[in-house]
Amino acid sequence: MVRGILGIAVAALLFGPADAAETFKLTGENTKIEFTGTKKNGKHVGGFKKLSGTATVDGGAIALDVEIDTASIYTDTDGLTKHLKTSDFFNVKDNPKATFKSTKIEKTDTGYKVTGDFTLLGKKKEISFPATITTGD
């Protein structure tokens, strides 16, 4: 089980009108999944470079469906990155993918709060996290 993840920030770049239902492709090029892990004397930051999925905009509602390549994890320390790939954490050899499917996305004063089902290591858990979702022409 992954411990010490304080938050995940998702930034998705969406194009098109907000009043028509449209689906947009999410990739590691236009979407970021990042985390901060804490320890007794500090913290580490990291994320995942490769992902695929969709963001669907229907009127004002947004839905996310994402598959994460767990082997694409990175952190601020090479040794930690290698350790996170082992069976102690993400076990990328046996669990090459993690998934997230939103169940609710709410506008907040500072962006969005995303809630959904996150599946990692074969276990599904409901999580919530802050997100920045940018729409443009």
Side-chain angles (χ1 to χ4, degrees), residues 15-102:
F15 297 97
D19 59 349
E22 293 191 57
T23 299
F24 304 93
K25 185 177 178 181
L26 302 179
T27 69
E29 298 296 316
N30 65 7
T31 307
K32 291 182 183 179
I33 297 178
E34 300 173 327
F35 61 83
T36 300
T38 60
K39 59 182 183 176
K40 186 175 181 178
N41 296 320
K43 66 180 181 176
H44 288 286
V45 295
F48 297 88
K49 294 179 182 178
K50 295 179 182 177
L51 61 98
S52 61
T54 58
T56 303
V57 180
D58 188 358
I62 302 169
L64 301 173
D65 192 352
V66 181
E67 183 175 271
I68 303 160
D69 178 347
T70 58
S72 73
I73 191 169
Y74 66 89
T75 69
D76 53 8
T77 307
D78 288 340
L80 176 59
T81 299
K82 289 177 186 174
H83 188 203
L84 290 176
K85 290 180 179 185
T86 71
S87 60
D88 288 344
F89 289 93
F90 292 102
N91 193 12
V92 301
K93 181 180 177 185
D94 294 332
N95 297 278
K97 303 290 179 198
T99 61
F100 177 79
K101 184 171 182 71
S102 66

